[in-house]
Amino acid sequence: MFYGSSITQGACCSRPGNTYYNILSRRLDFDYINLGFSGSAKGEKEIADYIASLDMSAFVCDYDYNAPTPEHLAATHARLVATVRKAHPDIPILLMSKPRHTLTQDDQARLAIIRKTYDDARAKGDENIYLLTGPELTALCGDDGTVDNVHPTDLGFLA
């Protein structure tokens, strides 16, 4: 189950099969649900409840770009993850931050919020939660893997 922004939706990829979740699906032989909402994935309580109600074997949380402010992200991120974790105590959860090679001050604040969600879950004993940061994700291609320093190209999705 993938939840996130236009990146999760697959914007700027030359074809749907080149998105990261399609590449992973082919390589690891799994089906998925894509809840990628261009500009509209904001971690609302209602969407958290809906996601938690779905049958899934893993959850990828990638809505950093759509949270309008770091304060909004702070108010929604941990709650969304906790809602999914309560309904699915054993599945892997992957938290992702903006896939940016160079972080602005705002990006650093957002990453700190996501990292806090991760660190707090680990401190509570959650050993099946993971974090993939934007700089880690873009390390192979840097800003050359995006169309606009936001949306990955085929190269960015592959990296």
Side-chain angles (χ1 to χ4, degrees):
M1 184 16 240
F2 296 84
Y3 173 66
S5 66
S6 55
I7 295 165
T8 304
Q9 183 182 8
C12 298
C13 207
S14 68
R15 63 183 181 85
N18 287 347
T19 58
Y20 75 89
Y21 43 85
N22 271 315
I23 294 167
L24 289 171
S25 174
R26 285 191 307 274
R27 289 184 180 175
L28 301 175
D29 192 28
F30 67 84
D31 292 325
Y32 63 88
I33 297 171
N34 179 340
L35 295 178
F37 300 102
S38 182
S40 297
K42 297 184 178 166
E44 303 94 329
K45 181 187 179 321
E46 295 79 11
I47 197 73
D49 291 341
Y50 173 71
I51 290 169
S53 75
L54 297 173
D55 182 23
M56 67 182 98
S57 56
F59 176 55
V60 178
C61 182
D62 181 23
Y63 74 99
D64 183 6
Y65 263 117
N66 286 172
T69 63
E71 293 78 19
H72 179 91
L73 187 63
T76 59
H77 196 266
R79 181 185 67 210
L80 183 146
V81 172
T83 301
V84 172
R85 176 52 80 215
K86 182 177 179 185
H88 302 277
D90 300 320
I91 66 168
I93 294 178
L94 174 61
L95 309 179
M96 295 174 64
S97 68
K98 289 181 177 184
R100 296 191 67 161
H101 188 64
T102 305
L103 301 181
T104 65
Q105 188 173 6
D106 183 75
D107 296 334
Q108 291 172 16
R110 291 166 174 276
L111 177 54
I113 292 162
I114 295 167
R115 188 176 302 280
K116 181 174 178 4
T117 300
Y118 170 78
D119 290 341
D120 289 351
R122 296 291 291 188
K124 291 177 184 172
D126 189 340
E127 295 182 9
N128 213 7
I129 191 163
Y130 306 91
L131 175 64
L132 180 59
T133 70
E136 291 170 321
L137 188 61
T138 60
L140 295 176
C141 57
D143 293 329
D144 293 333
T146 70
V147 170
D148 53 4
N149 290 328
V150 174
H151 296 93
T153 60
D154 291 359
L155 173 64
F157 276 116
L158 185 59

